[in-house]
Amino acid sequence: MNVSLILILFAVGWTITGMIAKFFMEPKGFGLYFDRDAFSLTLLTIIEFFFYRIYYNRPTAIDKGTQ
């Protein structure tokens, strides 16, 4: 279930960050190695890092010691 969540968020997130990148920059981007797609994937990586850090650090009932 976690893998499917990660795959769905990656696909949807890449689409959204691709639209954001298309709004702000040309297809050539900032150079040969950092084009618009690389920018959108970098932006997605940063967003997903903070999302997963918050999502997977939530305490569960097992962590609290309750059953």
Side-chain angles (χ1 to χ4, degrees), residues 1-48:
M1 199 177 237
N2 281 327
V3 173
S4 62
L5 171 71
I6 291 170
L7 290 175
I8 290 171
L9 289 177
F10 176 79
V12 172
W14 194 6
T15 305
I16 292 171
T17 57
M19 289 188 299
I20 292 170
K22 188 183 288 187
F23 182 72
F24 285 113
M25 51 191 332
E26 296 293 321
K28 293 181 182 178
F30 295 122
L32 181 63
Y33 297 112
F34 201 67
D35 59 350
R36 188 165 57 194
D37 287 334
F39 175 76
S40 66
L41 285 174
T42 304
L43 183 62
L44 176 63
T45 301
I46 293 167
I47 292 169
E48 283 187 344

Side-chain angles (χ1 to χ4, degrees), residues 1-3 5-6 50-60 63:
M1 199 177 237
N2 281 327
V3 173
L5 171 71
I6 291 170
F50 289 110
F51 173 76
Y52 292 135
R53 191 166 171 98
I54 293 168
Y55 183 77
Y56 286 114
N57 281 337
R58 292 183 301 163
T60 60
D63 295 336

